Amino acid sequence: AQSVTQPDIHITVSEGASLELRCNYSYGATPYLFWYVQSPGQGLQLLLKYFSGDTLVQGIKGFEAEFKRSQSSFNLRKPSVHWSDAAEYFCAVGATTSYDKVIFGPGTSLSVIP
Amino acid sequence: DTEVTQTPKHLVMGMTNKKSLKCEQHMGHRAMYWYKQKAKKPPELMFVYSYEKLSINESVPSRFSPECPNSSLLNLHLHALQPEDSALYLCASSQVGANHQPQHFGDGTRLSIL
């Protein structure tokens, strides 16, 4: 079965600073990988996804993520954070054999200070 | 704006009440999902419907009863709930098939059990 960890429970960055959120997964083959964002009181919005191909994936809102098979990682990055990026970020992994059973990581809460 | 619509947005009910949560999507997706999300936690999968048939039940108590009357609608019938069932209930939809992820989420129904 697949699993995913997000080592950072909470991160605080200054507005305009760069951001990297870490995600590590466990799965025997190449998984499907996702990053979602959840603002308070709302549902989850997909930022980006990796299925195969180019390991650097571009998403919405200026986010990108890089799949590194050797490190079992799928870290999310943004070069310049905006105050509106403050939210909960979830990394998720899906298995190629049970695509409909996506497992979410515990989440990283991002705070942005002016 | 979310393409998955959930009603009501908030629901308060007593432990002896019967109520239903509703979810609707018009994206032509044939897989629909119910998740439960407690505060500061990731979503937990409850049920999956594929082509209007229940395909996954994650050992959810029988006081939760899902229903998929057609390809656009998903209901969750609630009866005799417990205080620990208070949570955000999220609906999601997707295409069926490994190459047709990811899931699109609604904004959820916040349920409080008195």
Side-chain angles (χ1 to χ4, degrees):
Chain A
Q2 68 272 33
S3 65
V4 58
T5 57
Q6 293 177 247
D8 304 305
I9 295 173
H10 186 259
I11 284 181
T12 299
V13 299
S14 298
E15 191 168 16
S18 63
L19 172 70
E20 182 169 28
L21 302 182
R22 296 183 291 165
C23 172
N24 294 96
Y25 69 90
S26 174
Y27 183 60
T30 300
Y32 298 133
L33 294 161
F34 311 91
W35 275 101
Y36 285 90
V37 61
Q38 185 177 32
S39 297
Q42 296 191 0
L44 279 70
Q45 182 182 22
L46 179 76
L47 290 175
L48 45 77
K49 62 184 180 184
Y50 174 79
F51 283 4
S52 64
D54 193 346
T55 56
L56 185 61
V57 181
Q58 301 298 320
I60 63 170
K61 304 185 179 187
F63 286 92
E64 67 176 26
E66 186 171 12
F67 171 61
K68 292 186 176 180
R69 185 190 306 274
S70 61
Q71 299 177 17
S72 297
S73 69
F74 188 57
N75 293 348
L76 182 71
R77 300 193 294 250
K78 186 169 185 177
S80 178
V81 171
H82 189 263
W83 63 266
S84 60
D85 293 323
E88 190 81 18
Y89 289 80
F90 293 100
C91 181
V93 59
T96 53
T97 54
S98 59
Y99 62 88
D100 49 0
K101 209 165 180 177
V102 172
I103 304 299
F104 288 86
T108 297
S109 177
L110 174 65
S111 296
V112 180
I113 54 177
Chain B
D1 292 336
T2 182
E3 296 170 315
V4 177
T5 304
Q6 292 188 242
T7 55
K9 293 191 183 304
H10 302 274
L11 179 62
V12 179
M13 58 186 289
M15 289 189 285
T16 59
N17 292 155
K18 286 185 180 181
K19 295 286 184 183
S20 297
L21 309 184
K22 297 186 184 301
C23 174
E24 188 169 6
Q25 58 88 14
H26 294 288
M27 294 179 282
H29 291 168
R30 300 302 296 277
M32 297 187 76
Y33 312 76
W34 280 116
Y35 288 86
K36 175 183 178 180
Q37 185 179 27
K38 302 285 278 186
K40 305 293 185 184
K41 296 292 185 182
E44 298 176 2
L45 184 65
M46 301 175 69
F47 302 103
V48 180
Y49 274 83
S50 182
Y51 296 111
E52 296 84 67
K53 296 274 193 293
L54 184 65
S55 59
I56 294 177
N57 177 342
E58 289 289 275
S59 302
V60 179
S62 59
R63 58 185 183 267
F64 294 91
S65 176
E67 178 195 22
C68 190
N70 60 56
S71 61
S72 300
L73 293 174
L74 184 67
N75 299 320
L76 187 63
H77 303 299
L78 314 173
H79 175 56
L81 294 194
Q82 303 298 308
E84 61 266 27
D85 297 323
S86 296
L88 181 68
Y89 287 83
L90 293 166
C91 174
S93 71
S94 75
Q95 298 285 9
V96 176
N99 294 328
H100 296 291
Q101 296 299 306
Q103 301 171 20
H104 297 256
F105 284 82
D107 285 338
T109 293
R110 188 160 300 281
L111 176 65
S112 299
I113 306 301
L114 301 178

